[in-house]
Amino acid sequence: MFIEQNYRKNQDSSSTLSQNNGKICSNLKETAKSKEKELASKSYSVIKRKDEIAAFSKELVRFNLSFSVLVSQKPKKKDERDQVLAIAKFVSGTPSVKETLLKSKELPDKTIIEEFKVPNKFIRANKFYLIAMSLLLIGPYSEIQSYLLEGLV
């Protein structure tokens, strides 16, 4: 009788263990699937960002710019970066100014100076960076925009 009771207890505990193992395996499978989806999403994002960087690089070449020039021309002070970003948003958001930039490949200095009350020296010092930021905001570069604009602000 004692052996029979122990046998039944062992069977009950082994079935409970089997059920728990089944739940654990199910949870592990769900976790693996979610991690796989997350990785696929990140991979897609990385690939998309690489494609956008290549397209943006070609766009910069059309304006005789490169990433190395931009690195050396980046405004050092936060208030200057904020001002450049505000001007780039203005350029990308104002159809006549945007058209001038895209057609002549030059910034409409007078319009920017009048609108923002900045000295011509500021425009000249940040010309390349202003053009690049404007092009970035004008173009279909959502991945780069989110990545870079977070670092600017």
Side-chain angles (χ1 to χ4, degrees):
M1 177 105 157
F2 176 75
I3 295 174
E4 204 173 289
Q5 286 176 344
N6 280 339
Y7 178 74
R8 284 188 190 145
K9 284 182 185 178
N10 283 341
Q11 277 187 327
D12 289 344
S13 64
S14 70
S15 74
T16 304
L17 280 174
S18 293
Q19 289 173 352
N20 286 341
N21 283 342
K23 289 178 183 176
I24 290 171
C25 286
S26 176
N27 287 342
L28 284 173
K29 286 178 184 177
E30 288 175 26
T31 303
K33 284 181 183 178
S34 70
K35 290 290 184 185
E36 191 176 301
K37 286 180 182 177
E38 183 182 322
L39 239 130
S41 175
K42 285 182 180 179
S43 295
Y44 173 75
S45 182
V46 168
I47 291 169
K48 186 175 178 189
R49 191 174 303 146
K50 284 181 180 180
D51 290 345
E52 285 185 8
I53 289 170
F56 186 57
S57 180
K58 288 179 183 176
E59 179 94 18
L60 290 175
V61 168
R62 288 184 41 231
F63 284 77
N64 295 321
L65 295 174
S66 67
F67 285 114
S68 60
V69 169
L70 296 178
V71 168
S72 66
Q73 295 289 321
K74 180 181 178 184
K76 288 159 185 47
K77 297 180 182 176
K78 184 178 180 346
D79 61 326
E80 287 179 357
R81 289 192 304 270
D82 292 342
Q83 187 73 35
V84 166
L85 182 58
I87 293 170
K89 284 180 179 179
F90 169 75
V91 170
S92 67
T94 309
S96 62
V97 178
K98 177 170 52 173
E99 188 177 324
T100 302
L101 172 64
L102 295 175
K103 282 186 179 179
S104 70
K105 297 182 178 158
E106 292 288 325
L107 286 170
D109 296 352
K110 291 180 184 177
T111 307
I112 294 171
I113 290 168
E114 290 171 7
E115 183 71 28
F116 288 90
K117 311 290 187 248
V118 292
N120 194 25
K121 182 179 179 183
F122 179 84
I123 302 296
R124 278 186 274 125
N126 296 296
K127 175 184 173 184
F128 300 132
Y129 209 74
L130 280 165
I131 292 172
M133 290 303 297
S134 299
L135 292 173
L136 180 66
L137 294 174
I138 291 168
Y141 308 114
S142 59
E143 289 290 320
I144 303 174
Q145 288 171 1
S146 63
Y147 185 77
L148 288 180
L149 295 180
E150 286 175 11
L152 269 180
V153 180

